Amino acid sequence: MESGMILVNSKALPSVYGKVLEAKRLLSSGEVTSASEAAKKCGISRSVFYKYKDMVFEYSRPLGKIVTLNATLRDKAGVLSAFLMEIYNFGGNILTVNQSLPLSGSALVTVSMRTADEVHDISDLLGRLKSIKGVVSVKQIPGE
């Protein structure tokens, strides 16, 4: 095995791996402030935590799909805010927003978002975005 990585059902593994994952989650969420505290709370030794912390990772299948939109928006107060709010109302999780400086009264905006799992066709969202006052154009970047 070249990569050293395998995907295994957690039920087939010793419980210590799940405890290490839980300790990592406690640390990343801020519920605990030290590895010692996390290990103690999860019922493992600090040395076990350090032995496995960089070797055990939780796999979670991403929900939805990532969609990137290119838009031209008028340089008017509230247009970008309304654009982003419509994506939110659609159930999109905004990952990145890039906006150029306005030229000739318009700015180019690129938004990457993760759609809700049940959403597969964004044509409805595109129509809603185009109807916002101040949105000149919007399109999905192909291949996403």
Side-chain angles (χ1 to χ4, degrees):
M1 182 170 51
E2 289 181 32
S3 71
M5 303 292 253
I6 59 173
L7 186 61
V8 179
N9 187 315
S10 62
K11 293 176 185 170
L13 298 172
S15 64
V16 68
Y17 298 115
K19 293 176 181 183
V20 170
L21 286 173
E22 177 61 15
K24 288 172 64 171
R25 187 196 65 75
L26 290 172
L27 275 168
S28 68
S29 70
E31 293 179 50
V32 297
T33 57
S34 70
S36 295
E37 187 181 1
K40 184 177 181 180
K41 197 166 189 172
C42 294
I44 57 175
S45 69
R46 198 172 71 109
S47 64
V48 165
F49 174 76
Y50 280 113
K51 180 177 181 178
Y52 295 117
K53 76 176 183 68
D54 295 327
M55 299 173 134
V56 180
F57 304 95
E58 188 164 12
Y59 173 78
S60 62
R61 189 170 309 192
L63 300 175
K65 64 180 181 175
I66 294 177
V67 173
T68 302
L69 305 174
N70 275 348
T72 303
L73 307 181
R74 292 278 179 229
D75 183 23
K76 300 276 187 200
V79 176
L80 179 59
S81 177
F83 188 86
L84 298 176
M85 184 56 74
E86 194 59 50
I87 292 172
Y88 168 79
N89 291 336
F90 182 72
N93 178 26
I94 296 171
L95 305 172
T96 65
V97 177
N98 295 300
Q99 179 178 356
S100 69
L101 289 172
L103 296 174
S104 302
S106 295
L108 300 176
V109 176
T110 301
V111 176
S112 294
M113 59 179 261
R114 186 179 308 279
T115 63
D117 191 34
E118 65 276 357
V119 177
H120 299 289
D121 180 19
I122 65 154
S123 59
D124 179 47
L125 173 63
L126 294 174
R128 289 161 54 179
L129 292 171
K130 288 175 185 175
S131 72
I132 296 171
K133 185 176 180 176
V135 174
V136 176
S137 66
V138 61
K139 64 180 179 174
Q140 181 181 356
I141 294 179
E144 297 288 320

